[in-house]
Amino acid sequence: MGIRVAAGRALAAAAFFATPLFAQQTRPVTITVDAGRITGTLPPVWRFFGADEPNYATMKDGRKLLLELGKLRPGGVYFRAHNLLNTGDGTPAFKWGSTNVYTETKDGKPIYDWTGVDRIIDTYLARGVRPYLQIGFMPEALSTAPPGTPYQHSWRPGFDYNAIISGWAYPPKDYDKWRELVYQWTRHNVERYGRAEVERWYFEVWNEANGAYWKASPEEFYKLHDYAVDGVRRALPTARVGGPDSAGAGGAFMDGFLRHVTSGTNYATGQTGTPTDFLAFHAKGQPSFVDGHVRMGIATQLKEVDRGFVKATALPALATKPVVIGESDPEGCAACPGPENAYRNGTMYSSYTAASFARIWELAERRHVNLEGVLSWSFEFENQPWFAGYRQLAS
């Protein structure tokens, strides 16, 4: 049975208008809701979260927030983070993290140390959260960065954003060593957490390789991807692998990737194509500061979502694969300051997220997309003031 709700003149004025001029122009509005009409199943695509900085997950407020997220759908919530293979001592910073999983002896033999990355994954699993495991970035000992290139960046809010790109963003010196690192990591995860557990994770390679995060050609990335996927599947043939988590819908880069994984020659195996269990791209909004107020940019995000959906369904071999929007949020840098980002400190963030999800569901239905996840790129930055714009999910 339909439910009829009438909103009177005073209520409409109070809810939607702020000046006497607007109040004089209001009129009664009637909204009819048919709560008995079923249009389909509402998939829990909201259960994905992520952030650049992996080490915050193990800190006091990070652990607390993960616990709250895990309780929303125990065992069904996933977390994605950058920098899981970075060289360093594990000290977090803005847009930086490290685990020191890979170093080498003086004669070039690999040394694997899973202590730091285990601590992160243990923290997830203990709180009902599973990894959406990003394979990246390049350990210092494997990086082909030119001599003199710094490895760890020192970016801070207010600095030029491109300053985050440093030695970790380059291809490996040896692709066999890269594959072996991924193989050993996956094998270790299976031994530590069990085959059935790791089969439920998502594995993807790198981040936004069509943008600043990758200092080489698209073809070189396809090679990096092939070798990493081969390493994962060698250790766990049933692992769920996909990608490429492009910046936006991915343009020509995504077109090339989709052709490569369906009909190209696999760089690691020589066979045709690359195992692909899901597809992933990113979509961001574009807030601006206009006349003393924040104006959100939901149209920008939704247009990118639609472009991504069109690409994901363009090739018959991939058209029914699950799709994850691997970063979905109002703007592109959760650590960046600016008056246009003041939305982070109040309910505008949650309102925007709810509004965007509703419309993303509609776009997925229109484009016949198998939408599996919409990942909120938001977490919290430890030891930051509550209303400095660095804790949008926690706020």
Side-chain angles (χ1 to χ4, degrees):
M1 178 180 293
I3 300 174
R4 188 172 294 275
V5 181
R9 185 184 304 271
L11 179 59
F16 299 104
F17 303 104
T19 69
L21 174 62
F22 284 133
Q24 293 169 11
Q25 297 173 350
T26 61
R27 60 183 183 274
V29 175
T30 299
I31 301 173
T32 300
V33 179
D34 185 354
R37 185 166 68 92
I38 297 175
T39 59
T41 302
L42 191 64
V45 298
W46 53 266
R47 58 200 170 87
F48 294 75
F49 302 89
D52 288 50
E53 304 83 3
N55 304 102
Y56 283 137
T58 65
M59 301 179 74
K60 176 176 63 68
D61 290 337
R63 295 195 305 268
K64 177 183 177 183
L65 186 53
L66 282 172
L67 181 63
E68 294 175 3
L69 296 178
K71 287 179 178 178
L72 296 175
R73 192 179 180 90
V77 174
Y78 288 84
F79 199 90
R80 176 177 183 260
H82 299 337
N83 305 299
L84 289 173
L85 297 181
N86 284 24
T87 303
D89 64 4
T91 301
F94 283 109
K95 301 192 75 65
W96 175 259
S98 60
T99 61
N100 219 48
V101 299
Y102 183 93
T103 53
E104 290 183 351
T105 62
K106 290 182 179 180
D107 57 353
K109 294 180 180 178
I111 301 173
Y112 304 110
D113 183 354
W114 314 117
T115 307
V117 74
D118 283 351
R119 186 180 301 118
I120 293 167
I121 295 176
D122 288 352
T123 302
Y124 294 164
L125 295 176
R127 287 155 182 80
V129 175
R130 289 193 159 97
Y132 182 112
L133 207 62
Q134 182 187 126
I135 301 172
F137 295 115
M138 193 57 59
E140 187 171 18
L142 286 178
S143 175
T144 56
T149 304
Y151 182 76
Q152 180 175 345
H153 67 74
S154 56
W155 184 89
R156 295 294 181 271
F159 285 23
D160 178 3
Y161 187 80
N162 289 323
I164 71 169
I165 309 303
S166 48
W168 53 264
Y170 288 80
K173 296 175 181 175
D174 186 321
Y175 275 93
D176 288 328
K177 285 185 175 181
W178 166 252
R179 172 169 51 190
E180 186 67 15
L181 164 60
V182 178
Y183 165 75
Q184 292 292 345
W185 187 22
T186 307
R187 190 179 77 164
H188 168 78
N189 286 330
V190 172
E191 292 172 349
R192 183 176 180 86
Y193 304 111
R195 181 189 183 100
E197 171 61 39
V198 181
E199 285 177 332
R200 298 183 66 174
W201 300 1
Y202 294 78
F203 290 84
E204 59 92 6
V205 184
W206 222 256
N207 175 69
E208 298 187 352
N210 59 321
Y213 283 76
W214 177 242
K215 300 295 289 183
S217 68
E219 285 294 334
E220 196 82 9
F221 172 76
Y222 306 155
K223 182 177 180 179
L224 182 91
H225 173 83
D226 286 352
Y227 272 81
V229 169
D230 190 52
V232 172
R233 284 290 185 88
R234 260 182 57 208
L236 182 61
T238 51
R240 178 164 46 187
V241 295
D245 273 281
S246 60
F253 169 89
M254 179 65 90
D255 295 336
F257 176 84
L258 298 177
R259 287 194 301 270
H260 177 74
V261 300
T262 53
S263 58
T265 300
N266 188 294
Y267 284 100
T269 67
Q271 299 176 355
T272 299
T274 309
T276 306
D277 299 313
F278 68 95
L279 297 172
F281 65 93
H282 299 169
K284 310 280 188 172
Q286 191 174 20
S288 56
F289 196 66
V290 181
D291 296 332
H293 300 280
V294 176
R295 177 181 293 170
M296 303 303 284
I298 193 170
T300 299
Q301 181 175 0
L302 295 176
K303 287 176 183 177
E304 203 62 40
V305 168
D306 197 43
R307 282 190 282 266
F309 285 169
V310 169
K311 287 186 181 295
T313 54
L315 297 179
L318 300 172
T320 61
K321 295 288 185 181
V323 172
V324 178
I325 303 175
E327 292 183 20
S328 176
D329 57 285
E331 41 86 15
C333 175
C336 292
E340 71 277 9
N341 294 329
Y343 74 86
R344 299 170 180 165
N345 290 323
T347 57
M348 188 177 288
Y349 173 73
S350 53
S351 300
Y352 177 101
T353 301
S356 67
F357 274 40
R359 285 151 184 83
I360 290 169
W361 275 317
E362 292 173 357
L363 287 171
E365 184 176 1
R366 184 186 307 169
R367 296 294 187 184
H368 305 291
V369 169
N370 180 10
L371 182 62
E372 187 155 304
V374 181
L375 191 150
S376 296
W377 196 246
S378 55
F379 196 50
E380 64 91 27
F381 294 81
E382 204 84 7
N383 300 320
Q384 297 298 317
W386 283 106
F387 296 101
Y390 299 125
R391 291 175 175 265
Q392 62 265 41
L393 190 59
S395 295

